[in-house]
Amino acid sequence: MGNATRFIQKSLARKLIFGLLLLAIPIFILSLGIVFQQSRRHIRKEATERVISMLSATATRIHRYMSMVETATEANAWKAKEHMQPDSILEYTRRIVALNSNVSGCSITPEPYTFPQYGRYFSAYTIRQGDSIVTVREGEYEYYDKSWYKKPKRLGKSCWTDPFDDFNEGTLSATEIISSYSKPLYTDNGQFIGVISCDLSMQRLADIINAELPYPNAYFTLSGEDGRYYVRPDSARLADDTPSLVCSQQVPNTQWSLTLVCPESDILKNYNRLTYILVPLVVIGLLLILILCHQIVTIAVRPLNRLLNMSQSIAAGEYDQQIPYTRKYDAVGLLQNSFAKMQASLNRHVSDIRQANTVAKQRNEDLKRANEMVEEAIRQKTAFIQSVSHQIRTPLNIVVGFANVLSDNDLPTEEVKDITDMVEYNAMALSRMALMLYDSSDTGLSEELGSHSNEEVRCNDLARESIARTRARFPDISIRFETSLPDSCSIHTNRLYLTRTLLELLYNAAKYSDREHISLRLSQADDMVRFVLEDKGPGIPETYRRQMFEFFTKVSDFSEGLGLGLPLSKRHITNLGGDLTLDTGYREGCRLIITLPL
């Protein structure tokens, strides 16, 4: 004993573990006893709640099943009342059974002598036999004395009958216990004319009741107001006097009682098993207490170990380690907070260095992007200068060459005219390119906006003038002009910009289409004027459509032009308060639409 005492006193951890065991073991044993005693009460309470819930759910299923039969009866009663004819009511009973799987049989029985040709008795009856449905006129027996006929007639309302067996009662009879939902039929003036009833199979109802049980040996019973059983287990189970939990509930809209019986041996089965595992549970509990005590002591000294590990990691260069602050004011807590302050200061310096590196990296990336943009600008400038040089050099060489020919030779008048026309055509091309370069500058934009703004322009006249100028440049072209605007229709705009835009679009149509199916249409849409230029030809490639209105952009480096025509046209129309768009749905060529405010 003395050796054990000395062994415990040599270690603070052992002393803490021994003290915790002395405190925890008595509490554990006492708590286990209380829980064991209270568990029986809780198990019975939970079993009662479970049984009540199961009983309520089963009653709900029964009510839902019976409601389907009620609905089928109520929904077809008015048809039987309105068409009280032998053939009709035979067909209605068959239809009700065929369309409602929960209805095992249906009958429509008029008052005696309703159909004189059949005498006193007539009742249409349909029954489900396996997968087939049989419909007959019932045999002549006193069905007017049956409860399914007398009860609704006496009460004057729909009702359920107690289950009965009508085997061998008539021409056609059910071979099982059934209950009928019967509804009296009245004329519009309140005269009783008969009864419609739908049968519910009690075997089907029993299957629904016993579909789900809370315990293996539990069972349901369904009894009537007089105590007779409609659904019950075998007689041996009813005679068993084993203590049981019994709960009852009335089935809605009936006088039937649904009872659930659960033997206590089933309810307390797990509780009885608990007795056999109590001893192992005590042993396991004591072992867990020992383990928990060891864990508690370990946790008590864990801050020192964690602080040591973090300090070693920081010393090794892992500056991302975060030493947390603590609210403990013992020696360990003060030491941890001191290390945390030191580590936070170190982190700030490291963060400043990383931030400086990040800023430098971002600046390098910005410089790289700026350099790429400069290189792209240089490339575009070079390509543009080369394109301008090529586009100007060709017509300029033609002008200079033919000028020398005219000055050095005596040529026939006809040839001189051809040369003069060629020189004029290329001079106009040079003038157009120079005008585009001027338009693309901010100086040209501001000057022409100021000098030609807010002119009154007649739309049809401007369109005809543009077409005439295009035909003068391209004599072999065919342009169709259509307009729904009156010749007096005019807009206030910049005539120069609008003219240049129309001419540019007409020139492009003349150069790139078949020159035979070009049309210019004018129309009005709300408060806007639409200029629709349409041609048939290759159209604008789909890959080029996204950048077709960007400056210095061409379909290819070998295509004619400076890449300024469409962008300048777009800018002109936008400055005039309108828009220039491409109709991407047009597939036969190219269709460009100008919209301007009236």
Side-chain angles (χ1 to χ4, degrees), residues 73-132:
T73 306
E74 298 288 347
N76 291 277
W78 68 273
K79 294 182 180 179
K81 181 183 71 174
E82 295 293 331
H83 305 87
M84 186 62 73
Q85 299 296 330
D87 293 339
S88 298
I89 61 178
L90 284 167
E91 176 59 27
Y92 287 150
T93 60
R94 183 177 186 86
R95 186 182 304 172
I96 291 172
V97 175
L99 297 179
N100 298 274
S101 60
N102 294 317
V103 177
S104 62
C106 177
S107 67
I108 300 177
T109 306
E111 276 282 79
Y113 301 107
T114 298
F115 307 126
Q117 65 272 32
Y118 294 106
R120 171 182 171 83
Y121 300 99
F122 186 90
S123 177
Y125 187 41
T126 297
I127 188 171
R128 188 187 306 276
Q129 293 183 343
D131 295 334
S132 61

Side-chain angles (χ1 to χ4, degrees), residues 443-497:
T443 302
L445 175 67
S446 59
E447 288 181 1
E448 292 180 352
L449 274 174
S451 58
H452 297 278
S453 62
N454 203 25
E455 299 178 61
E456 184 175 355
V457 178
R458 293 182 181 271
C459 299
N460 290 342
D461 293 346
L462 181 65
R464 293 188 183 99
E465 177 187 341
S466 301
I467 292 173
R469 291 175 62 176
T470 305
R471 285 173 175 164
R473 185 171 181 183
F474 302 96
D476 59 339
I477 197 172
S478 173
I479 302 177
R480 185 173 70 257
F481 175 63
E482 299 177 5
T483 179
S484 61
L485 303 178
D487 287 341
S488 61
C489 179
S490 61
I491 58 176
H492 288 272
T493 186
N494 187 306
R495 183 185 185 89
L496 181 61
Y497 274 5

